[in-house]
Amino acid sequence: MSSNPTHGSSPDHPVYVVGAGPGGLATAAVLGSRGVRAVVVERSDDVAASWRGHYDRLRLHTTRRWSSLPGLPIPRSAGRWVRRDDFVRYLEDYAEYHQLDLATGVEVSRIDRAAGADAAGPAPAGSGDWLLQANGGRVLRASAVVVATGYNHTPLMPDWPGRDEYTGELLHSSHYRAAEPFAGRDVLVVGAGNSGAEIAADLAAGGAARVRLSVRTVPHILRRSTLGWPSQASAVLCRRLPVGLVDRLARPLERSLPDLTSFGLPRPDTGLYSRVRQGSIPLLDTGRTGLVRAVRRRRVEPVAAVASFDGAKVLLSDGEAIGPDAVIAATGYRRGLEPLVGHLGVLDGRGGPLVHGRETHPAAEGLYFTGYANPISGALRELALDAPRIARAITRRRSTAAGRR
């Protein structure tokens, strides 16, 4: 399965896929099925590097059916809500099943157009339109490039005043694995997204003496599943409906959960889908092991946003000062694309690609991005849909170029 990436010139340069997560593997598999040679380059030692680093209790919030990639379903034995380890195993099997050309230990640092490549249109089929600078002084030449380094690439730790002088333990959620090291300790989790909520609930169940959850923006909360109907199914059905209509349809679903206002977690006064369009995905509660139950049992205490640190103290935006033993920052990630492609003019002000999926930017024909959206209908489902679209666009481009020869 592993290979050495090609150097220099070749009569037919491959498509290079940067990143061996689900998006990169799916796109490479579909390209292979269409007779296009694709080489997946991955900086770590194996596929699914970011998934291996997630916390132990992680289960997908998307169903097995809508989390499978093209050409190989996740086995039924993994259950409806797939565990982290089972999903990693599935990605390993996926690469093996499709006999993907995978080069591990190859870190691409920069992508450039090759000298003479015309941004206005495709070059002859198989020509090296793109140059990838990689570790070890390697220069890889590609006919097209698919960037799939992942939505959760670079941990984002806010630059809180006094952070560096904090005398307790401070870590990003990407370094959290399980509750055992925090047993008997006072822990503050910062960030009320799905990761923060699950980590807080995990700590409460795992023996932490006290767990507080710092909330800057009150999340919309939905049940992951209601009477067997997954919330993802509703999201798929509603995704293309008008925003205001979906906001109204979501209100009864949100209000079917207990009101946590008296516990310090009021209902949002914004529409659910309006917030999604701004990049904020609802918190999906898992029931017995979820945040709502933990808050109602006062095992997790919502508190105000973090304002600053002062020695052993954390100062909150409402003026309260608390002294946790440890702070876990579930504060998200950056895409980390600037060193790779920032010089090409293809990124927006937040560091995400201006276009993704089958579309390419006019200034960068043949450069594709997958996995940089966080849709309400599920990121894995969108990756699976993107893969054949990108493959079709690449093969069409190659056919057009071949016809011009």
Side-chain angles (χ1 to χ4, degrees), residues 15 77 131 170 185 188-189 193 195 210 212 220 279 327 329 331 362:
V15 174
S77 60
L131 297 178
L170 174 62
R185 301 173 69 187
L188 173 68
V189 180
S195 293
R210 186 175 189 179
R212 284 174 280 208
H220 289 271
V327 176
T331 45

Side-chain angles (χ1 to χ4, degrees), residues 63-80:
T63 65
R64 182 185 70 251
R65 171 192 171 192
W66 279 326
S67 301
S68 295
L69 304 179
L72 183 70
I74 298 174
R76 293 178 62 86
S77 60
R80 192 181 203 189

Side-chain angles (χ1 to χ4, degrees), residues 3-5 7 16-19 39-45 102-109 132-136 138 140:
S3 73
N4 291 317
H7 294 242
Y16 273 98
V17 180
V18 185
V39 178
V40 182
V41 289
E42 167 59 43
R43 66 178 179 174
S44 67
D45 295 331
L102 176 65
T104 59
V106 178
E107 183 170 8
V108 176
S109 57
L132 288 70
Q133 309 292 330
N135 54 340
R138 286 170 284 199
L140 316 177

Side-chain angles (χ1 to χ4, degrees), residues 26-38 98 100 391:
T27 305
V30 179
L31 282 167
S33 72
R34 299 176 73 93
V36 178
R37 184 184 172 216
H98 288 289
L100 299 184

Side-chain angles (χ1 to χ4, degrees), residues 334-346:
R334 291 191 178 96
R335 310 293 83 81
L337 292 170
E338 289 85 355
L340 200 63
V341 297
H343 55 287
L344 297 173
V346 296

Side-chain angles (χ1 to χ4, degrees), residues 254-300:
E254 292 188 83
R255 293 184 181 280
S256 70
L257 282 161
D259 186 354
L260 301 178
T261 301
S262 63
F263 298 91
L265 200 62
R267 298 188 192 277
D269 56 8
T270 56
L272 182 148
Y273 201 31
S274 296
R275 285 270 294 278
V276 169
R277 297 296 290 270
Q278 297 169 8
S280 179
I281 296 297
L283 194 163
L284 297 180
D285 189 74
T286 56
R288 283 192 309 109
T289 61
L291 179 69
V292 171
R293 185 183 179 98
V295 169
R296 295 186 74 199
R297 294 190 169 194
R298 300 190 185 279
R299 303 290 301 280
V300 173

